[in-house]
Amino acid sequence: MSPRLLRALLPPVSLVLILAVIFLIQPRAMSYLGLNLMLNLALPIALATIAQLCVITVNDLDLSIGAFVSLVACVGATLLPATPLLGTGVLLALIAVYAGLGALIHWRDLPSIVVTLGMSFVWLGLAVLLLPSPGGSAPAWLSGLVKLKTPVVPFAILASAALALLVHLFLVRSSAGVVLRGAGGNPQALRRAGWSLLRVKVAMYALAGFFGVLSGLCLVGLTTSADANIALRYTLLSIAGVILGGGEFTGGRVSPVGAVIGALTLTLAGSLLSFLRISPDWQIGAQGAILIVVLALRALVNQTERRMA
């Protein structure tokens, strides 16, 4: 088996292994109800991971996506049910601000880590102002949509698969996607070809904001309420999902399908740790350990590939 194929197989193999361990520990999880319970919150995590993937594609890193998703959830639980037009306008404005961040980072050549870290406090502050204490309610249409009961396979799995396929077709298979990924892989060549790096970065940040909005709305639809801190851990989970799925921090090397698989793997890892009765205080550390093991395997595969080359 070639190292390249082995590297591509690491994300799905990791997912299958975790599923196998879960089914071994708790056989009743091997059912529609069991999968639905374990993957209940997989879709918002997958959407946040795709948002992070859009930023990583242009060699940046977003440390604000968790706070942003929390703010969107607060908007979805307060403004959207009471005044739909205002709520929709606010969500569109948030996407525009995200696009503006991409322009600012490019124009001033600022470190994305610093800018997005600063914005995380802005998003969190706005969320607290909007919803000082947990509460609110999700629009009925939103809850009905994300809690849709599909036959045979849970909705979260179907929606995640559709998300992975659509983003893969756009970002990997389309000519526009080649240009967008080129901004991270070879920006000088892209510039010489006449493409605007500014427009590419604005487009990718706008897409990140769009998927972040979808993540927040999906989350509030599932939980039926919101909290300013409801999705703060999504920042680390989204980065881990992209890297676990085969993405790289540089070079525009990303895998939408792998990123979604990575998000599902991390979601199931949380369920596995719960079955093992590991304290929630230790679960983030245990998830990090799983990520380190997978990254070590990837490093070994990459080293083998370089030797063979």
Side-chain angles (χ1 to χ4, degrees), residues 18-100:
I18 287 185
L19 273 174
V21 174
I22 289 175
F23 293 157
L24 183 63
I25 296 174
Q26 183 54 265
R28 286 181 296 180
M30 196 187 305
S31 63
Y32 182 98
L33 180 60
L35 289 173
N36 194 44
L37 289 175
M38 290 190 297
L39 295 172
N40 185 41
L41 295 178
L43 185 55
I45 295 176
L47 287 165
T49 302
I50 291 297
Q52 185 71 250
L53 178 140
C54 292
V55 177
I56 290 179
T57 299
V58 291
N59 295 342
D60 287 347
L61 196 63
D62 185 4
L63 297 183
S64 69
I65 188 64
F68 181 77
V69 172
S70 295
L71 174 58
V72 171
C74 291
V75 172
T78 55
L79 298 180
L80 203 58
T83 52
L85 288 179
L86 177 60
T88 302
V90 170
L91 295 177
L92 292 175
L94 291 176
I95 295 175
V97 171
Y98 239 84

Side-chain angles (χ1 to χ4, degrees), residues 38-258:
M38 290 190 297
L39 295 172
N40 185 41
L41 295 178
L43 185 55
I45 295 176
L47 287 165
T49 302
I50 291 297
Q52 185 71 250
L53 178 140
C54 292
V55 177
I56 290 179
T57 299
V58 291
N59 295 342
D60 287 347
L61 196 63
D62 185 4
L63 297 183
S64 69
I65 188 64
F68 181 77
V69 172
S70 295
L71 174 58
V72 171
C74 291
V75 172
T78 55
L79 298 180
L80 203 58
T83 52
L85 288 179
L86 177 60
T88 302
V90 170
L91 295 177
L92 292 175
L94 291 176
I95 295 175
V97 171
Y98 239 84
L101 288 178
L104 176 64
I105 290 170
H106 180 80
W107 273 334
R108 306 301 300 175
D109 195 23
L110 300 173
S112 60
I113 293 178
V114 175
V115 175
T116 56
L117 179 61
M119 285 305 299
S120 68
F121 296 107
V122 174
W123 302 136
L124 181 59
L126 291 174
V128 171
L129 287 174
L130 190 60
L131 197 61
S133 58
S137 61
W141 61 267
L142 183 58
S143 294
L145 178 62
V146 298
K147 292 182 179 180
L148 183 67
K149 291 185 178 180
T150 52
V152 185
V153 180
F155 174 76
I157 297 178
L158 294 177
S160 297
L163 171 67
L165 178 60
L166 290 175
V167 178
H168 175 81
L169 291 175
F170 171 70
L171 201 56
V172 178
R173 294 297 182 180
S174 71
S175 56
V178 172
V179 173
L180 295 174
R181 287 185 293 110
N186 196 336
Q188 292 78 15
L190 198 68
R191 187 183 293 109
R192 287 195 296 268
W195 296 97
S196 170
L197 290 178
L198 172 62
R199 291 183 180 179
V200 170
K201 187 155 287 192
V202 168
M204 293 307 286
Y205 270 80
L207 281 174
F210 172 72
F211 286 113
V213 166
L214 291 183
S215 176
L217 292 178
C218 183
L219 181 59
V220 76
L222 290 168
T223 59
T224 68
S225 63
D227 176 13
N229 302 308
I230 193 172
L232 294 185
R233 66 191 186 97
Y234 281 20
T235 296
L236 295 179
L237 285 176
S238 64
I239 297 172
V242 174
I243 302 305
L244 186 62
E248 303 284 351
F249 283 118
T250 58
R253 297 177 182 176
V254 293
S255 171
V257 175

